[in-house]
Amino acid sequence: MPLRRWTRDARLTFAMRNPLGGFSRVPAAPALTLRDLWPGDPLVGERLVRNQSLFEGVVRNLQHLQWDNPAWPEAYRRWLQGFTWLRDLRELGAESARIKARSMVATWIGQPASERPITDPSVTGARLAAWLSYYEFFAAAADDNFRQNLMAALIMEARSIMALMPEGARGWRALTALKGLLAVAVAIPDHPEFLSRYLKLIDQEIDQQFLADGSHITRCPEDQFQAVRELAEMLSILQTARLPLPSRLMEVADRAAPALRAMRHGDGGLMLFNGSRERDSQLIEQVLNRASRGRVVAASQPESGYIRLTSGRTMLFADASGPAPAGYDSTAHAGMLSFEFSSGRQRIIVNCGSSTQRGWAEALRVPAAHSVLEMGSLSPITRNQSGAITHRPTVTRAQASQDGAHWLHMTHDGYKPQGGGVYSRQLYLGKDGQTLRGAEALEGTESRDFCVRFHLHPDITVEEIEHGFLLYTQEESWLFQANVAAYLEDSVYLGSGERVDSLQIVLCPPEAPEPPEERAAEGEEEALETEAHGADHAAAHAQGDTYPEDHAAYSADHAHTASEQDASYGQPNAATEHEAYQPENGGYAEQDASAAYPDHAYAHTDMQGYVQESEAYAAAPQHSEEDAFSPLLHDAPPADSMPYQAASTTGLSHTDQSEHATQETPSMAEALFAGQDAAVDHAPQTEGPTEHETSAQASESAASSKPAGTAPSPPAMRPVRWALTLMTE
């Protein structure tokens, strides 16, 4: 433990000596008057005049000399002791507001130095900056005694920041502490130790907090916003004092501001990951304009792991990285691989947000509060009693873009140590922004104790139809469909800070397919029944013997044969279920058959991205019940799914059942995902035909070649597939 921590109390006692009456010179007024950059709320100011506080929708009565209470939420305690509410009184502007501000400041500085709650330097820094920013409002016309005591309090509490930093605060709050130290340094230049200490600590904090791409180390968009705001205020103070701007400070502001811009939805608010809120869009814009003159949006954020995809009017944000490092993970949520989706200024698919209220704060950390797969009672991250994360999943991501279309493949192994396998999510965003498709899979487990949640923004109106859900915004309607059973459930949304009721779409796992051996045994029994009951009954029975897992969500409406069901999906007749969206369906380009999904057999594509076996696709029966599925099942392959001339296609395994098939170049997403799978050691270990052949003859041959007594391999689980399609007239 550093020596500074052992001597903390002694340093604080020394720092809080009252300079009045001593050898230190206390000026009568600040040498420089600062100006707060941000607007206040007059409604909050009016409440304060009435001796009440309004914070995050909760009204509390103010008590004389009461600045702390164990029952208060930490966020409220910080707000009250930080005096940032002075801007709300200033916004109100009445004489009663001026008197109230002066009386509350007098109450604080009238406390004995030993009784003031000053152990948190970030709260102290916010308080000092607020006092100096609104000095003209509440103190300029006060008596000399008040102003002398105020200046003495500024010196004492600035010394307390020097005594407690850098160990006293972490993250963006450390920047708040240094901002207060800088404010006192420029207001009282007779104490040069304040400025020298600030210049020594600021570079250290910048190096610790900001990653190479400009994002904050906590991976929390809220922290990104707060950190950029603190940087903007520091730059304003230095410019007001006409002091040289530290090069490191200017450089990090130019990197952090574009990163913050990349975290905004079309409505101007923040994406909701790892403890963030929407925030007021106008305030975010003011912060960005103060922090950097440019209006650049970060093209990528490889260090933070956030993925931002834009196409047409739509935006998609995905969390493709693990929790923040130890010491900066206090806001980390178990929402790895979750995503948010918006069109224009309307959010459609969201995460539930965050809260400072006890109970809600922890409830919103779990996977169920995110648009992601949830596996029973398991959690992909674990914490100890102190709140530190003890188990961190490994997260992988691969991304490709072509002609405005985007492919994204993400995995994490958070459930694997608990027997839950590896979670894989694949997303495709069409080049026009009118199609979003996904495939969810759990690899390496037989458990079906999971569901996939899609939380909807409260402004979204939902209509349940026969083959999916229609999601209505004020300007558009979107069709949500899936290949499994889907349900509509209640949800909550706290993105704006207050709880609002909303809805969520929940997808259930597919039914378990029969093992091959049992299916073969059933086939023999059916053959005996055929001999016993006649050829007519056998033919009728074969006509209705379809795989239930291929149409579990809508089996009641479709009585096609297995061939027709596969044709409606654009698949070969005997293809297995572990298959991403094929290019002819407007979804994913092909992927590594032996790595990502071992039991998957790819239809061969020609140079235009069309499936050679498209005769079955074209011949799919068109019934009225299937018309609602046309955006999902029967759309033509998009132009952005054309094959990609990859330099290396090692590890790809295509199985084509056509007699005259020729091998073609894999698509962009296929080559990319194959490389990703090879990197995580999922590449096949043997050459030649795989053990998951798609034809019935190959399956029988593989089964007959197994040694006697060999345990049958568990049936593969097909992925949960879904699509969100813009409905046009």
Side-chain angles (χ1 to χ4, degrees):
M1 180 178 294
L3 180 61
R4 288 178 56 86
R5 294 190 182 182
W6 286 99
T7 61
R8 175 176 174 271
D9 292 340
R11 287 183 283 109
L12 270 181
T13 301
F14 183 80
M16 294 301 292
R17 293 179 305 157
N18 195 327
L20 292 175
F23 295 101
S24 299
R25 180 176 178 271
V26 179
L32 185 67
T33 300
L34 304 180
R35 183 173 63 91
D36 188 28
L37 305 176
W38 322 121
D41 186 347
L43 295 179
V44 177
E46 185 177 358
R47 287 281 188 177
L48 289 170
V49 170
R50 297 178 181 180
N51 229 27
Q52 293 178 330
S53 64
L54 176 61
F55 179 75
E56 295 188 345
V58 179
V59 178
R60 297 178 176 88
N61 292 324
L62 296 176
Q63 301 294 330
H64 183 63
L65 295 177
Q66 185 181 22
W67 295 99
D68 203 353
N69 189 323
W72 290 346
E74 180 184 0
Y76 175 71
R77 176 186 61 83
R78 288 180 170 275
W79 174 80
L80 183 62
Q81 297 179 11
F83 281 74
T84 53
W85 39 262
L86 284 173
R87 67 169 59 103
D88 302 319
L89 290 171
R90 177 63 181 86
E91 195 74 20
L92 184 60
E95 184 63 24
S96 59
R98 189 190 312 272
I99 295 174
K100 184 63 177 180
R102 186 182 305 164
S103 65
M104 293 188 71
V105 173
T107 301
W108 179 275
I109 63 178
Q111 299 177 95
S114 60
E115 297 179 7
R116 298 182 194 178
I118 54 158
T119 55
D120 191 331
S122 64
V123 177
T124 302
R127 182 167 57 250
L128 299 182
W131 285 351
L132 289 169
S133 297
Y134 292 102
Y135 180 88
E136 293 291 337
F137 170 63
F138 71 88
D143 58 75
D144 293 342
N145 184 59
F146 174 85
R147 287 187 281 110
Q148 281 288 311
N149 289 330
L150 176 61
M151 298 305 296
L154 288 168
I155 295 175
M156 288 189 293
E157 298 197 12
R159 288 175 179 170
S160 73
I161 295 177
M162 293 176 57
L164 296 174
M165 291 297 291
E167 295 88 357
R170 274 185 173 270
W172 68 268
R173 300 191 188 281
L175 300 178
T176 307
L178 296 183
K179 175 190 67 178
L181 186 61
L182 174 63
V184 177
V186 300
I188 310 177
D190 293 341
H191 291 262
E193 66 273 14
F194 295 149
L195 183 59
S196 61
R197 184 66 172 168
Y198 165 81
L199 295 175
K200 181 179 180 180
L201 293 177
I202 186 60
D203 289 349
Q204 176 181 336
E205 288 298 331
I206 287 174
D207 293 340
Q208 289 181 355
Q209 295 191 38
F210 292 94
L211 304 176
D213 59 6
S215 57
H216 198 264
I217 193 171
T218 60
R219 303 190 64 250
C220 175
E222 170 74 15
D223 289 359
Q224 183 81 23
F225 164 74
Q226 296 288 2
V228 172
R229 180 159 74 169
E230 299 300 338
L231 295 177
E233 291 193 42
M234 291 182 194
L235 291 173
S236 176
I237 293 173
L238 290 167
Q239 291 170 349
T240 302
R242 298 185 178 181
L243 293 174
L245 301 180
S247 59
R248 193 80 60 88
L249 183 63
M250 295 179 61
E251 188 269 338
V252 74
D254 290 337
R255 285 189 290 116
L260 178 60
R261 287 188 184 276
M263 297 179 178
R264 304 175 71 188
H265 276 280
D267 60 4
L270 299 177
M271 59 185 187
L272 305 182
F273 296 96
N274 292 308
S276 65
R277 299 184 184 181
E278 291 182 13
R279 283 287 175 180
D280 181 71
S281 60
Q282 294 183 355
L283 178 59
I284 297 175
E285 190 64 29
Q286 291 177 0
V287 169
L288 287 169
N289 293 336
R290 289 287 184 177
S292 177
R293 295 181 179 179
R295 301 186 61 84
V296 179
V297 178
S300 63
Q301 295 177 283
E303 300 293 335
S304 69
Y306 285 119
I307 304 297
R308 177 179 183 266
L309 306 178
T310 61
S311 183
R313 286 168 41 88
T314 61
M315 286 188 182
L316 185 144
F317 299 89
D319 183 358
S321 185
Y328 296 95
D329 54 6
S330 60
T331 61
H333 286 194
M336 291 76 64
L337 277 58
S338 63
F339 77 95
E340 294 192 324
F341 180 73
S342 61
S343 177
R345 298 183 61 85
Q346 178 60 62
R347 302 182 188 219
I348 300 177
I349 297 177
V350 297
N351 294 318
C352 290
S354 64
S355 175
T356 59
Q357 301 178 13
R358 296 174 181 175
W360 275 114
E362 291 302 319
L364 295 174
R365 292 178 182 267
V366 299
H370 300 77
S371 293
V372 75
L373 181 143
E374 175 200 9
M375 192 162 190
S377 60
L378 304 182
S379 176
I381 63 174
T382 56
R383 298 177 182 269
N384 57 23
Q385 295 181 351
S386 63
I389 296 179
T390 56
H391 168 66
R392 298 172 179 272
T394 300
V395 181
T396 67
R397 61 181 182 270
Q399 180 183 359
S401 299
Q402 181 176 332
D403 298 333
H406 305 278
W407 293 263
L408 177 61
H409 181 210
M410 305 176 289
T411 69
H412 82 64
D413 61 356
Y415 297 119
K416 188 174 182 180
Q418 307 164 73
V422 176
Y423 172 35
S424 171
R425 162 168 271 182
Q426 304 173 42
L427 299 174
Y428 166 81
L429 181 61
K431 67 176 182 179
D432 53 4
Q434 298 183 6
T435 301
L436 173 64
R437 301 177 187 268
E440 323 281 340
L442 279 173
E443 304 171 10
T445 181
E446 300 180 44
S447 173
R448 282 172 167 77
D449 184 19
F450 70 88
C451 64
V452 185
R453 301 182 182 273
F454 300 86
H455 295 275
L456 305 178
H457 191 271
D459 292 342
I460 300 299
T461 304
V462 184
E463 177 186 357
E464 185 172 359
I465 60 176
E466 184 177 5
H467 300 301
F469 298 95
L470 283 174
L471 313 181
Y472 295 102
T473 71
Q474 292 184 354
E475 300 177 351
E476 302 169 332
S477 61
W478 292 77
L479 174 63
F480 184 95
Q481 296 175 292
N483 68 336
V484 295
Y487 302 94
L488 200 62
E489 296 183 0
D490 292 333
S491 180
V492 294
Y493 184 73
L494 291 96
S496 59
E498 298 182 4
R499 176 184 172 182
V500 181
D501 293 335
S502 62
L503 297 173
Q504 61 176 314
I505 298 174
V506 182
L507 304 185
C508 296
E511 297 179 5
E514 291 182 281
E517 289 76 7
E518 295 182 8
R519 231 171 8 231
E522 291 179 359
E524 294 177 0
E525 294 177 0
E526 291 173 1
L528 296 177
E529 292 177 1
T530 301
E531 295 177 359
H533 296 86
D536 294 339
H537 175 73
H541 181 75
Q543 178 69 18
D545 185 20
T546 62
Y547 292 114
E549 65 273 15
D550 284 341
H551 57 283
Y554 44 89
S555 56
D557 298 327
H558 295 268
H560 307 314
T561 63
S563 301
E564 292 171 335
Q565 290 291 346
D566 290 331
S568 69
Y569 275 101
Q571 301 175 357
N573 181 29
T576 56
E577 291 82 6
H578 265 173
E579 179 174 6
Y581 286 114
Q582 296 294 333
E584 70 272 17
N585 289 338
Y588 287 113
E590 300 169 349
Q591 301 178 28
D592 183 359
S594 59
Y597 299 106
D599 57 341
H600 172 69
Y602 287 94
H604 181 69
T605 57
D606 60 18
M607 291 304 294
Q608 300 301 320
Y610 287 82
V611 175
Q612 295 289 353
E613 297 177 357
S614 58
E615 293 80 1
Y617 177 85
Q622 297 290 333
H623 301 295
S624 59
E625 293 85 359
E626 291 188 27
D627 292 342
F629 279 89
S630 56
L632 177 60
L633 305 179
H634 302 297
D635 52 350
D640 47 50
S641 293
M642 295 179 64
Y644 170 65
Q645 302 294 336
S648 173
T649 58
T650 305
L652 296 177
S653 177
H654 293 260
T655 303
D656 184 24
Q657 304 303 325
S658 61
E659 182 178 358
H660 304 290
T662 59
Q663 186 170 358
E664 300 291 344
T665 305
S667 67
M668 170 185 287
E670 175 187 357
L672 177 63
F673 296 156
Q676 179 72 11
D677 295 327
V680 294
D681 297 328
H682 287 172
Q685 302 298 323
T686 58
E687 298 180 356
T690 65
E691 61 177 341
H692 300 282
E693 295 292 336
T694 59
S695 65
Q697 296 83 356
S699 299
E700 295 175 0
S701 175
S704 62
S705 63
K706 291 182 179 180
T710 302
S713 59
M717 187 190 308
R718 66 178 173 132
V720 173
R721 285 181 265 176
W722 53 269
L724 188 63
T725 308
L726 178 66
M727 303 301 292
T728 57
E729 296 181 0

